[in-house]
Amino acid sequence: MSRMPVRKYRPFPPVHLPDRRWPSEVLARAPRWCSVDLRDGNQALVDPMGPDRKRALFETLVAAGFQEIEVGFPAASRPELDFVRELIEERRIPEHVTIQVLTQAREPLVRRTFEAIRGARRAVVHLYNSTSELQRRVVFGKDRAGVLAIAVEATRLARELAAGMPETEVTLEYTPESFTGTELDFAVEICAAVMDAWGATPERKVILNLPATVEMSTPNVHADQVEWFLRHCPGRERYALSIHPHNDRGTAVAAAELALLAGADRVEGTLFGNGERTGNVDLVTLAMNLFSQGIDPGLDLRDLDALVAAAERATRIPVHPRHPYAGRLVYTAFSGSHQDAIKKGFAALRRAGGARWEVPYLPIDPADVGRSYEAVIRVNSQSGKGGVGWVLEEHGGLRLGREELQAFAAVVQRRTEERGSALAPEEILALYQGTRPGAASDEGRAPGAPPTRAA
């Protein structure tokens, strides 16, 4: 018997979908991206962003190619409202960018939200209320009819307020909050009622956003939920389907990819996954996964180091060195066998002319995201002759014979073991110069024929 209190928890119920289609689909294009860094990401910070950090991050998101950006919850606080007004009044929103603002489905908040966006060319008003069975029962004490009425009344008010602001093109986004904990038939019922209350048409679509506010199931079950919803929600031509995965189970990226296979059009998330609790889905990883499959991600990620630096300044949270694609060590090999394979892969790439990327252990070319090759191989006590040979060839233009390379690699290993850390390329070159015949060295002399310069 396990010592863990497993009886407190129940498995998430599967969706009955025996003829599910998403496993046979293939991702062929990028979704619509919506960054929620300035709202969902900001509310997750111990030290929330002030106006300067928000402004800098907004500009970073625009430069990266985001065309939909949730900029705040203006009815929640004065700083949130002031930032939205600053963007609009100082004309900081490029013409191709649409701002998005969040509000609960409560009359005073909806009214303040519309006042906040007055004067904008376009805006998405993101309306939400809690629909999950647990929150209906424990938090609000309302039945389905009561929760549905809240959503419909707020939508009618939003429609009325939008009609009074003809200078602003308003798109309604509706979120049945905690979709993952909402009965699927009720999620469909309330979303259909909101579309009718808004008067959605193919020309005036709403965005229906299905958030994994808490990630409760395996990614395949989440994909089943999305496909079931799409099959049963009427008027597919009247809405775009958005997803908003969180990372409570650590599988938000997989859940998002499978939800896209299931038919979702749009993804809301954040740079490097910053968000409540364990975070939102990481849009950089999602986009880079597409890129690695030869699909245009629709975002400009050619300088990931600059994007990391901007995100770290804004959030004051470091990006982990092993973070997919963006971590400072993710293209670096310490293992001798990995280093040897990478070295041979680069040699084969040069012989083939480099038209198609094929290098073992490197799923993409580091240069495509602004990384140099200098840190691809780092030599420490776990490295072998392949790594040492790479450094000598790439940084010193030296190609050693097999026996001399083996002998010198042993010298390098002894030095790294003594230091307990990696050696920089210039240190390895200096060590080699000190072990050449005729040079005095504490390590002795490296035997073998003199090296030849690499072609």
PDB file of all heavy atoms in Angstrom, residues 17 21-22 179 184 187-188 208 210 222-237 239-243 258-265:
ATOM      1  N   LEU A  17     -15.749   9.431 -27.003  1.00  0.00           N
ATOM      2  CA  LEU A  17     -15.555   9.895 -28.373  1.00  0.00           C
ATOM      3  C   LEU A  17     -14.840   8.792 -29.149  1.00  0.00           C
ATOM      4  O   LEU A  17     -13.691   8.943 -29.566  1.00  0.00           O
ATOM      5  CB  LEU A  17     -14.733  11.189 -28.368  1.00  0.00           C
ATOM      6  CG  LEU A  17     -14.797  12.083 -29.607  1.00  0.00           C
ATOM      7  CD1 LEU A  17     -16.186  12.693 -29.767  1.00  0.00           C
ATOM      8  CD2 LEU A  17     -13.761  13.190 -29.495  1.00  0.00           C
ATOM      9  N   ARG A  21     -11.254  12.162 -34.240  1.00  0.00           N
ATOM     10  CA  ARG A  21     -10.534  12.375 -35.499  1.00  0.00           C
ATOM     11  C   ARG A  21      -9.172  13.029 -35.314  1.00  0.00           C
ATOM     12  O   ARG A  21      -8.324  12.971 -36.206  1.00  0.00           O
ATOM     13  CB  ARG A  21     -11.387  13.235 -36.437  1.00  0.00           C
ATOM     14  CG  ARG A  21     -12.774  12.666 -36.719  1.00  0.00           C
ATOM     15  CD  ARG A  21     -13.525  13.487 -37.762  1.00  0.00           C
ATOM     16  NE  ARG A  21     -14.931  13.099 -37.830  1.00  0.00           N
ATOM     17  CZ  ARG A  21     -15.940  13.819 -37.372  1.00  0.00           C
ATOM     18  NH1 ARG A  21     -15.691  14.994 -36.809  1.00  0.00           N
ATOM     19  NH2 ARG A  21     -17.188  13.397 -37.458  1.00  0.00           N
ATOM     20  N   TRP A  22      -8.970  13.701 -34.175  1.00  0.00           N
ATOM     21  CA  TRP A  22      -7.748  14.492 -34.037  1.00  0.00           C
ATOM     22  C   TRP A  22      -6.458  13.672 -34.134  1.00  0.00           C
ATOM     23  O   TRP A  22      -5.437  14.210 -34.600  1.00  0.00           O
ATOM     24  CB  TRP A  22      -7.780  15.311 -32.741  1.00  0.00           C
ATOM     25  CG  TRP A  22      -7.838  14.537 -31.458  1.00  0.00           C
ATOM     26  CD1 TRP A  22      -8.933  14.281 -30.697  1.00  0.00           C
ATOM     27  CD2 TRP A  22      -6.737  13.933 -30.769  1.00  0.00           C
ATOM     28  NE1 TRP A  22      -8.612  13.550 -29.593  1.00  0.00           N
ATOM     29  CE2 TRP A  22      -7.254  13.321 -29.613  1.00  0.00           C
ATOM     30  CE3 TRP A  22      -5.365  13.846 -31.015  1.00  0.00           C
ATOM     31  CZ2 TRP A  22      -6.460  12.627 -28.704  1.00  0.00           C
ATOM     32  CZ3 TRP A  22      -4.568  13.152 -30.115  1.00  0.00           C
ATOM     33  CH2 TRP A  22      -5.108  12.557 -28.980  1.00  0.00           C
ATOM     34  N   PHE A 179     -13.124  25.729 -17.950  1.00  0.00           N
ATOM     35  CA  PHE A 179     -13.772  24.842 -18.927  1.00  0.00           C
ATOM     36  C   PHE A 179     -13.476  23.378 -18.626  1.00  0.00           C
ATOM     37  O   PHE A 179     -14.338  22.513 -18.777  1.00  0.00           O
ATOM     38  CB  PHE A 179     -13.289  25.203 -20.341  1.00  0.00           C
ATOM     39  CG  PHE A 179     -13.576  24.157 -21.379  1.00  0.00           C
ATOM     40  CD1 PHE A 179     -14.859  23.995 -21.889  1.00  0.00           C
ATOM     41  CD2 PHE A 179     -12.563  23.329 -21.850  1.00  0.00           C
ATOM     42  CE1 PHE A 179     -15.129  23.029 -22.847  1.00  0.00           C
ATOM     43  CE2 PHE A 179     -12.823  22.352 -22.800  1.00  0.00           C
ATOM     44  CZ  PHE A 179     -14.121  22.205 -23.301  1.00  0.00           C
ATOM     45  N   LEU A 184     -19.412  19.202 -20.469  1.00  0.00           N
ATOM     46  CA  LEU A 184     -19.301  19.607 -21.866  1.00  0.00           C
ATOM     47  C   LEU A 184     -20.624  20.108 -22.431  1.00  0.00           C
ATOM     48  O   LEU A 184     -20.653  21.094 -23.183  1.00  0.00           O
ATOM     49  CB  LEU A 184     -18.758  18.450 -22.703  1.00  0.00           C
ATOM     50  CG  LEU A 184     -17.265  18.142 -22.508  1.00  0.00           C
ATOM     51  CD1 LEU A 184     -16.891  16.867 -23.249  1.00  0.00           C
ATOM     52  CD2 LEU A 184     -16.403  19.304 -22.981  1.00  0.00           C
ATOM     53  N   ALA A 187     -21.078  23.636 -21.229  1.00  0.00           N
ATOM     54  CA  ALA A 187     -20.175  24.564 -21.918  1.00  0.00           C
ATOM     55  C   ALA A 187     -20.745  24.937 -23.285  1.00  0.00           C
ATOM     56  O   ALA A 187     -20.731  26.108 -23.699  1.00  0.00           O
ATOM     57  CB  ALA A 187     -18.787  23.945 -22.060  1.00  0.00           C
ATOM     58  N   VAL A 188     -21.261  23.949 -24.014  1.00  0.00           N
ATOM     59  CA  VAL A 188     -21.882  24.211 -25.312  1.00  0.00           C
ATOM     60  C   VAL A 188     -23.117  25.083 -25.142  1.00  0.00           C
ATOM     61  O   VAL A 188     -23.321  26.067 -25.885  1.00  0.00           O
ATOM     62  CB  VAL A 188     -22.236  22.882 -26.018  1.00  0.00           C
ATOM     63  CG1 VAL A 188     -23.172  23.134 -27.199  1.00  0.00           C
ATOM     64  CG2 VAL A 188     -20.971  22.183 -26.484  1.00  0.00           C
ATOM     65  N   LEU A 208     -14.721  32.134 -28.876  1.00  0.00           N
ATOM     66  CA  LEU A 208     -15.058  31.267 -27.751  1.00  0.00           C
ATOM     67  C   LEU A 208     -13.753  30.671 -27.231  1.00  0.00           C
ATOM     68  O   LEU A 208     -13.041  29.980 -27.961  1.00  0.00           O
ATOM     69  CB  LEU A 208     -16.027  30.156 -28.171  1.00  0.00           C
ATOM     70  CG  LEU A 208     -17.396  30.627 -28.679  1.00  0.00           C
ATOM     71  CD1 LEU A 208     -18.264  29.429 -29.059  1.00  0.00           C
ATOM     72  CD2 LEU A 208     -18.116  31.500 -27.645  1.00  0.00           C
ATOM     73  N   LEU A 210     -11.720  28.378 -24.541  1.00  0.00           N
ATOM     74  CA  LEU A 210     -11.892  27.237 -23.649  1.00  0.00           C
ATOM     75  C   LEU A 210     -10.637  27.076 -22.794  1.00  0.00           C
ATOM     76  O   LEU A 210      -9.656  26.466 -23.233  1.00  0.00           O
ATOM     77  CB  LEU A 210     -12.149  25.954 -24.457  1.00  0.00           C
ATOM     78  CG  LEU A 210     -13.302  26.016 -25.467  1.00  0.00           C
ATOM     79  CD1 LEU A 210     -13.468  24.664 -26.158  1.00  0.00           C
ATOM     80  CD2 LEU A 210     -14.602  26.445 -24.790  1.00  0.00           C
ATOM     81  N   HIS A 222      -7.907  16.280 -23.066  1.00  0.00           N
ATOM     82  CA  HIS A 222      -8.196  17.680 -23.385  1.00  0.00           C
ATOM     83  C   HIS A 222      -8.538  17.832 -24.866  1.00  0.00           C
ATOM     84  O   HIS A 222      -9.474  18.555 -25.227  1.00  0.00           O
ATOM     85  CB  HIS A 222      -6.996  18.560 -23.031  1.00  0.00           C
ATOM     86  CG  HIS A 222      -7.242  20.026 -23.226  1.00  0.00           C
ATOM     87  ND1 HIS A 222      -8.277  20.697 -22.630  1.00  0.00           N
ATOM     88  CD2 HIS A 222      -6.598  20.947 -23.983  1.00  0.00           C
ATOM     89  CE1 HIS A 222      -8.255  21.971 -22.990  1.00  0.00           C
ATOM     90  NE2 HIS A 222      -7.244  22.145 -23.816  1.00  0.00           N
ATOM     91  N   ALA A 223      -7.808  17.146 -25.722  1.00  0.00           N
ATOM     92  CA  ALA A 223      -8.125  17.187 -27.153  1.00  0.00           C
ATOM     93  C   ALA A 223      -9.514  16.619 -27.420  1.00  0.00           C
ATOM     94  O   ALA A 223     -10.264  17.144 -28.259  1.00  0.00           O
ATOM     95  CB  ALA A 223      -7.069  16.418 -27.945  1.00  0.00           C
ATOM     96  N   ASP A 224      -9.872  15.558 -26.724  1.00  0.00           N
ATOM     97  CA  ASP A 224     -11.233  15.003 -26.856  1.00  0.00           C
ATOM     98  C   ASP A 224     -12.279  16.035 -26.446  1.00  0.00           C
ATOM     99  O   ASP A 224     -13.328  16.166 -27.086  1.00  0.00           O
ATOM    100  CB  ASP A 224     -11.384  13.760 -25.978  1.00  0.00           C
ATOM    101  CG  ASP A 224     -10.741  12.516 -26.574  1.00  0.00           C
ATOM    102  OD1 ASP A 224     -10.361  12.545 -27.765  1.00  0.00           O
ATOM    103  OD2 ASP A 224     -10.625  11.503 -25.860  1.00  0.00           O
ATOM    104  N   GLN A 225     -12.012  16.776 -25.363  1.00  0.00           N
ATOM    105  CA  GLN A 225     -12.957  17.811 -24.930  1.00  0.00           C
ATOM    106  C   GLN A 225     -13.157  18.860 -26.022  1.00  0.00           C
ATOM    107  O   GLN A 225     -14.285  19.277 -26.304  1.00  0.00           O
ATOM    108  CB  GLN A 225     -12.443  18.496 -23.663  1.00  0.00           C
ATOM    109  CG  GLN A 225     -12.476  17.648 -22.413  1.00  0.00           C
ATOM    110  CD  GLN A 225     -11.897  18.401 -21.225  1.00  0.00           C
ATOM    111  OE1 GLN A 225     -10.787  18.941 -21.294  1.00  0.00           O
ATOM    112  NE2 GLN A 225     -12.643  18.445 -20.131  1.00  0.00           N
ATOM    113  N   VAL A 226     -12.058  19.273 -26.626  1.00  0.00           N
ATOM    114  CA  VAL A 226     -12.145  20.305 -27.669  1.00  0.00           C
ATOM    115  C   VAL A 226     -12.884  19.770 -28.886  1.00  0.00           C
ATOM    116  O   VAL A 226     -13.763  20.452 -29.443  1.00  0.00           O
ATOM    117  CB  VAL A 226     -10.728  20.800 -28.046  1.00  0.00           C
ATOM    118  CG1 VAL A 226     -10.773  21.704 -29.274  1.00  0.00           C
ATOM    119  CG2 VAL A 226     -10.095  21.533 -26.859  1.00  0.00           C
ATOM    120  N   GLU A 227     -12.562  18.558 -29.305  1.00  0.00           N
ATOM    121  CA  GLU A 227     -13.255  18.008 -30.475  1.00  0.00           C
ATOM    122  C   GLU A 227     -14.740  17.801 -30.180  1.00  0.00           C
ATOM    123  O   GLU A 227     -15.595  18.089 -31.036  1.00  0.00           O
ATOM    124  CB  GLU A 227     -12.614  16.681 -30.913  1.00  0.00           C
ATOM    125  CG  GLU A 227     -13.267  16.124 -32.177  1.00  0.00           C
ATOM    126  CD  GLU A 227     -12.526  14.944 -32.777  1.00  0.00           C
ATOM    127  OE1 GLU A 227     -11.284  14.863 -32.630  1.00  0.00           O
ATOM    128  OE2 GLU A 227     -13.198  14.099 -33.415  1.00  0.00           O
ATOM    129  N   TRP A 228     -15.082  17.310 -29.003  1.00  0.00           N
ATOM    130  CA  TRP A 228     -16.494  17.125 -28.630  1.00  0.00           C
ATOM    131  C   TRP A 228     -17.225  18.461 -28.684  1.00  0.00           C
ATOM    132  O   TRP A 228     -18.330  18.557 -29.217  1.00  0.00           O
ATOM    133  CB  TRP A 228     -16.583  16.535 -27.221  1.00  0.00           C
ATOM    134  CG  TRP A 228     -17.943  15.974 -26.867  1.00  0.00           C
ATOM    135  CD1 TRP A 228     -18.322  14.671 -26.902  1.00  0.00           C
ATOM    136  CD2 TRP A 228     -19.091  16.718 -26.418  1.00  0.00           C
ATOM    137  NE1 TRP A 228     -19.637  14.545 -26.505  1.00  0.00           N
ATOM    138  CE2 TRP A 228     -20.139  15.783 -26.204  1.00  0.00           C
ATOM    139  CE3 TRP A 228     -19.345  18.064 -26.191  1.00  0.00           C
ATOM    140  CZ2 TRP A 228     -21.414  16.170 -25.762  1.00  0.00           C
ATOM    141  CZ3 TRP A 228     -20.610  18.457 -25.764  1.00  0.00           C
ATOM    142  CH2 TRP A 228     -21.625  17.514 -25.549  1.00  0.00           C
ATOM    143  N   PHE A 229     -16.597  19.499 -28.121  1.00  0.00           N
ATOM    144  CA  PHE A 229     -17.212  20.830 -28.126  1.00  0.00           C
ATOM    145  C   PHE A 229     -17.475  21.300 -29.557  1.00  0.00           C
ATOM    146  O   PHE A 229     -18.571  21.776 -29.879  1.00  0.00           O
ATOM    147  CB  PHE A 229     -16.306  21.819 -27.398  1.00  0.00           C
ATOM    148  CG  PHE A 229     -16.868  23.219 -27.328  1.00  0.00           C
ATOM    149  CD1 PHE A 229     -17.592  23.624 -26.223  1.00  0.00           C
ATOM    150  CD2 PHE A 229     -16.667  24.126 -28.361  1.00  0.00           C
ATOM    151  CE1 PHE A 229     -18.119  24.913 -26.160  1.00  0.00           C
ATOM    152  CE2 PHE A 229     -17.182  25.413 -28.306  1.00  0.00           C
ATOM    153  CZ  PHE A 229     -17.911  25.807 -27.198  1.00  0.00           C
ATOM    154  N   LEU A 230     -16.480  21.166 -30.407  1.00  0.00           N
ATOM    155  CA  LEU A 230     -16.626  21.624 -31.794  1.00  0.00           C
ATOM    156  C   LEU A 230     -17.721  20.854 -32.536  1.00  0.00           C
ATOM    157  O   LEU A 230     -18.425  21.417 -33.378  1.00  0.00           O
ATOM    158  CB  LEU A 230     -15.296  21.492 -32.533  1.00  0.00           C
ATOM    159  CG  LEU A 230     -14.280  22.597 -32.237  1.00  0.00           C
ATOM    160  CD1 LEU A 230     -12.899  22.194 -32.716  1.00  0.00           C
ATOM    161  CD2 LEU A 230     -14.707  23.903 -32.871  1.00  0.00           C
ATOM    162  N   ARG A 231     -17.869  19.586 -32.239  1.00  0.00           N
ATOM    163  CA  ARG A 231     -18.907  18.801 -32.907  1.00  0.00           C
ATOM    164  C   ARG A 231     -20.310  19.219 -32.476  1.00  0.00           C
ATOM    165  O   ARG A 231     -21.258  19.120 -33.259  1.00  0.00           O
ATOM    166  CB  ARG A 231     -18.728  17.318 -32.592  1.00  0.00           C
ATOM    167  CG  ARG A 231     -17.541  16.658 -33.248  1.00  0.00           C
ATOM    168  CD  ARG A 231     -17.710  15.155 -33.161  1.00  0.00           C
ATOM    169  NE  ARG A 231     -16.475  14.437 -33.433  1.00  0.00           N
ATOM    170  CZ  ARG A 231     -16.411  13.121 -33.521  1.00  0.00           C
ATOM    171  NH1 ARG A 231     -17.508  12.394 -33.330  1.00  0.00           N
ATOM    172  NH2 ARG A 231     -15.267  12.518 -33.768  1.00  0.00           N
ATOM    173  N   HIS A 232     -20.436  19.691 -31.232  1.00  0.00           N
ATOM    174  CA  HIS A 232     -21.770  19.926 -30.688  1.00  0.00           C
ATOM    175  C   HIS A 232     -22.170  21.395 -30.598  1.00  0.00           C
ATOM    176  O   HIS A 232     -23.360  21.691 -30.459  1.00  0.00           O
ATOM    177  CB  HIS A 232     -21.881  19.289 -29.298  1.00  0.00           C
ATOM    178  CG  HIS A 232     -21.849  17.794 -29.328  1.00  0.00           C
ATOM    179  ND1 HIS A 232     -20.673  17.067 -29.346  1.00  0.00           N
ATOM    180  CD2 HIS A 232     -22.851  16.884 -29.359  1.00  0.00           C
ATOM    181  CE1 HIS A 232     -20.943  15.773 -29.372  1.00  0.00           C
ATOM    182  NE2 HIS A 232     -22.252  15.630 -29.381  1.00  0.00           N
ATOM    183  N   CYS A 233     -21.197  22.304 -30.636  1.00  0.00           N
ATOM    184  CA  CYS A 233     -21.545  23.726 -30.545  1.00  0.00           C
ATOM    185  C   CYS A 233     -22.030  24.215 -31.907  1.00  0.00           C
ATOM    186  O   CYS A 233     -21.303  24.110 -32.908  1.00  0.00           O
ATOM    187  CB  CYS A 233     -20.344  24.547 -30.104  1.00  0.00           C
ATOM    188  SG  CYS A 233     -20.753  26.271 -29.738  1.00  0.00           S
ATOM    189  N   PRO A 234     -23.244  24.745 -32.011  1.00  0.00           N
ATOM    190  CA  PRO A 234     -23.804  25.117 -33.313  1.00  0.00           C
ATOM    191  C   PRO A 234     -23.146  26.368 -33.888  1.00  0.00           C
ATOM    192  O   PRO A 234     -22.565  27.178 -33.172  1.00  0.00           O
ATOM    193  CB  PRO A 234     -25.275  25.378 -32.988  1.00  0.00           C
ATOM    194  CG  PRO A 234     -25.262  25.821 -31.555  1.00  0.00           C
ATOM    195  CD  PRO A 234     -24.167  25.029 -30.893  1.00  0.00           C
ATOM    196  N   GLY A 235     -23.226  26.482 -35.204  1.00  0.00           N
ATOM    197  CA  GLY A 235     -22.783  27.723 -35.861  1.00  0.00           C
ATOM    198  C   GLY A 235     -21.286  27.899 -35.904  1.00  0.00           C
ATOM    199  O   GLY A 235     -20.776  28.961 -35.551  1.00  0.00           O
ATOM    200  N   ARG A 236     -20.557  26.881 -36.354  1.00  0.00           N
ATOM    201  CA  ARG A 236     -19.091  26.974 -36.396  1.00  0.00           C
ATOM    202  C   ARG A 236     -18.614  28.181 -37.183  1.00  0.00           C
ATOM    203  O   ARG A 236     -17.550  28.755 -36.891  1.00  0.00           O
ATOM    204  CB  ARG A 236     -18.513  25.697 -37.026  1.00  0.00           C
ATOM    205  CG  ARG A 236     -16.975  25.654 -37.075  1.00  0.00           C
ATOM    206  CD  ARG A 236     -16.398  25.587 -35.677  1.00  0.00           C
ATOM    207  NE  ARG A 236     -14.955  25.374 -35.661  1.00  0.00           N
ATOM    208  CZ  ARG A 236     -14.047  26.342 -35.540  1.00  0.00           C
ATOM    209  NH1 ARG A 236     -14.439  27.589 -35.425  1.00  0.00           N
ATOM    210  NH2 ARG A 236     -12.752  26.065 -35.515  1.00  0.00           N
ATOM    211  N   GLU A 237     -19.392  28.609 -38.151  1.00  0.00           N
ATOM    212  CA  GLU A 237     -19.007  29.764 -38.959  1.00  0.00           C
ATOM    213  C   GLU A 237     -19.146  31.076 -38.183  1.00  0.00           C
ATOM    214  O   GLU A 237     -18.668  32.122 -38.639  1.00  0.00           O
ATOM    215  CB  GLU A 237     -19.852  29.824 -40.235  1.00  0.00           C
ATOM    216  CG  GLU A 237     -21.315  30.217 -40.059  1.00  0.00           C
ATOM    217  CD  GLU A 237     -22.197  29.080 -39.513  1.00  0.00           C
ATOM    218  OE1 GLU A 237     -21.679  27.955 -39.334  1.00  0.00           O
ATOM    219  OE2 GLU A 237     -23.405  29.344 -39.286  1.00  0.00           O
ATOM    220  N   TYR A 239     -17.976  31.558 -34.980  1.00  0.00           N
ATOM    221  CA  TYR A 239     -17.003  31.732 -33.898  1.00  0.00           C
ATOM    222  C   TYR A 239     -15.637  31.184 -34.281  1.00  0.00           C
ATOM    223  O   TYR A 239     -15.502  30.281 -35.111  1.00  0.00           O
ATOM    224  CB  TYR A 239     -17.495  31.064 -32.604  1.00  0.00           C
ATOM    225  CG  TYR A 239     -17.609  29.557 -32.641  1.00  0.00           C
ATOM    226  CD1 TYR A 239     -16.541  28.730 -32.277  1.00  0.00           C
ATOM    227  CD2 TYR A 239     -18.802  28.936 -33.017  1.00  0.00           C
ATOM    228  CE1 TYR A 239     -16.654  27.344 -32.283  1.00  0.00           C
ATOM    229  CE2 TYR A 239     -18.936  27.549 -33.026  1.00  0.00           C
ATOM    230  CZ  TYR A 239     -17.853  26.765 -32.658  1.00  0.00           C
ATOM    231  OH  TYR A 239     -17.973  25.396 -32.669  1.00  0.00           O
ATOM    232  N   ALA A 240     -14.630  31.789 -33.669  1.00  0.00           N
ATOM    233  CA  ALA A 240     -13.266  31.248 -33.690  1.00  0.00           C
ATOM    234  C   ALA A 240     -13.049  30.572 -32.354  1.00  0.00           C
ATOM    235  O   ALA A 240     -13.452  31.100 -31.305  1.00  0.00           O
ATOM    236  CB  ALA A 240     -12.250  32.367 -33.889  1.00  0.00           C
ATOM    237  N   LEU A 241     -12.424  29.402 -32.373  1.00  0.00           N
ATOM    238  CA  LEU A 241     -12.222  28.668 -31.132  1.00  0.00           C
ATOM    239  C   LEU A 241     -10.804  28.894 -30.612  1.00  0.00           C
ATOM    240  O   LEU A 241      -9.819  28.611 -31.292  1.00  0.00           O
ATOM    241  CB  LEU A 241     -12.461  27.177 -31.323  1.00  0.00           C
ATOM    242  CG  LEU A 241     -12.515  26.432 -29.979  1.00  0.00           C
ATOM    243  CD1 LEU A 241     -13.847  26.695 -29.303  1.00  0.00           C
ATOM    244  CD2 LEU A 241     -12.291  24.954 -30.142  1.00  0.00           C
ATOM    245  N   SER A 242     -10.749  29.396 -29.393  1.00  0.00           N
ATOM    246  CA  SER A 242      -9.476  29.702 -28.742  1.00  0.00           C
ATOM    247  C   SER A 242      -9.258  28.750 -27.577  1.00  0.00           C
ATOM    248  O   SER A 242     -10.209  28.284 -26.946  1.00  0.00           O
ATOM    249  CB  SER A 242      -9.509  31.153 -28.235  1.00  0.00           C
ATOM    250  OG  SER A 242      -8.310  31.508 -27.587  1.00  0.00           O
ATOM    251  N   ILE A 243      -7.997  28.460 -27.283  1.00  0.00           N
ATOM    252  CA  ILE A 243      -7.651  27.666 -26.110  1.00  0.00           C
ATOM    253  C   ILE A 243      -6.696  28.469 -25.227  1.00  0.00           C
ATOM    254  O   ILE A 243      -5.988  29.368 -25.699  1.00  0.00           O
ATOM    255  CB  ILE A 243      -7.024  26.307 -26.482  1.00  0.00           C
ATOM    256  CG1 ILE A 243      -5.811  26.499 -27.405  1.00  0.00           C
ATOM    257  CG2 ILE A 243      -8.068  25.389 -27.105  1.00  0.00           C
ATOM    258  CD1 ILE A 243      -5.017  25.229 -27.649  1.00  0.00           C
ATOM    259  N   LEU A 258      -2.296  19.153 -29.169  1.00  0.00           N
ATOM    260  CA  LEU A 258      -3.367  18.207 -29.479  1.00  0.00           C
ATOM    261  C   LEU A 258      -4.700  18.928 -29.639  1.00  0.00           C
ATOM    262  O   LEU A 258      -5.530  18.522 -30.469  1.00  0.00           O
ATOM    263  CB  LEU A 258      -3.460  17.140 -28.390  1.00  0.00           C
ATOM    264  CG  LEU A 258      -2.230  16.251 -28.186  1.00  0.00           C
ATOM    265  CD1 LEU A 258      -2.557  15.057 -27.299  1.00  0.00           C
ATOM    266  CD2 LEU A 258      -1.642  15.776 -29.501  1.00  0.00           C
ATOM    267  N   ALA A 259      -4.912  20.006 -28.885  1.00  0.00           N
ATOM    268  CA  ALA A 259      -6.138  20.786 -29.060  1.00  0.00           C
ATOM    269  C   ALA A 259      -6.175  21.450 -30.435  1.00  0.00           C
ATOM    270  O   ALA A 259      -7.245  21.589 -31.045  1.00  0.00           O
ATOM    271  CB  ALA A 259      -6.249  21.839 -27.958  1.00  0.00           C
ATOM    272  N   LEU A 260      -5.017  21.860 -30.942  1.00  0.00           N
ATOM    273  CA  LEU A 260      -4.963  22.408 -32.301  1.00  0.00           C
ATOM    274  C   LEU A 260      -5.299  21.324 -33.324  1.00  0.00           C
ATOM    275  O   LEU A 260      -6.004  21.576 -34.305  1.00  0.00           O
ATOM    276  CB  LEU A 260      -3.591  23.012 -32.585  1.00  0.00           C
ATOM    277  CG  LEU A 260      -3.256  24.305 -31.828  1.00  0.00           C
ATOM    278  CD1 LEU A 260      -1.797  24.684 -32.023  1.00  0.00           C
ATOM    279  CD2 LEU A 260      -4.172  25.449 -32.272  1.00  0.00           C
ATOM    280  N   LEU A 261      -4.802  20.108 -33.094  1.00  0.00           N
ATOM    281  CA  LEU A 261      -5.183  18.998 -33.972  1.00  0.00           C
ATOM    282  C   LEU A 261      -6.690  18.765 -33.919  1.00  0.00           C
ATOM    283  O   LEU A 261      -7.301  18.378 -34.919  1.00  0.00           O
ATOM    284  CB  LEU A 261      -4.456  17.719 -33.549  1.00  0.00           C
ATOM    285  CG  LEU A 261      -2.943  17.663 -33.763  1.00  0.00           C
ATOM    286  CD1 LEU A 261      -2.383  16.372 -33.184  1.00  0.00           C
ATOM    287  CD2 LEU A 261      -2.586  17.779 -35.240  1.00  0.00           C
ATOM    288  N   ALA A 262      -7.282  19.015 -32.752  1.00  0.00           N
ATOM    289  CA  ALA A 262      -8.725  18.796 -32.583  1.00  0.00           C
ATOM    290  C   ALA A 262      -9.560  19.899 -33.213  1.00  0.00           C
ATOM    291  O   ALA A 262     -10.784  19.761 -33.278  1.00  0.00           O
ATOM    292  CB  ALA A 262      -9.058  18.671 -31.103  1.00  0.00           C
ATOM    293  N   GLY A 263      -8.916  20.996 -33.661  1.00  0.00           N
ATOM    294  CA  GLY A 263      -9.666  22.015 -34.390  1.00  0.00           C
ATOM    295  C   GLY A 263      -9.604  23.418 -33.850  1.00  0.00           C
ATOM    296  O   GLY A 263     -10.238  24.323 -34.419  1.00  0.00           O
ATOM    297  N   ALA A 264      -8.867  23.664 -32.756  1.00  0.00           N
ATOM    298  CA  ALA A 264      -8.766  25.019 -32.235  1.00  0.00           C
ATOM    299  C   ALA A 264      -8.059  25.927 -33.239  1.00  0.00           C
ATOM    300  O   ALA A 264      -7.178  25.485 -33.987  1.00  0.00           O
ATOM    301  CB  ALA A 264      -8.012  25.018 -30.906  1.00  0.00           C
ATOM    302  N   ASP A 265      -8.450  27.208 -33.237  1.00  0.00           N
ATOM    303  CA  ASP A 265      -7.904  28.186 -34.192  1.00  0.00           C
ATOM    304  C   ASP A 265      -6.858  29.099 -33.565  1.00  0.00           C
ATOM    305  O   ASP A 265      -6.058  29.705 -34.277  1.00  0.00           O
ATOM    306  CB  ASP A 265      -9.025  29.105 -34.714  1.00  0.00           C
ATOM    307  CG  ASP A 265     -10.218  28.351 -35.233  1.00  0.00           C
ATOM    308  OD1 ASP A 265     -10.034  27.528 -36.139  1.00  0.00           O
ATOM    309  OD2 ASP A 265     -11.344  28.577 -34.735  1.00  0.00           O
TER     310      ASP A 265
END
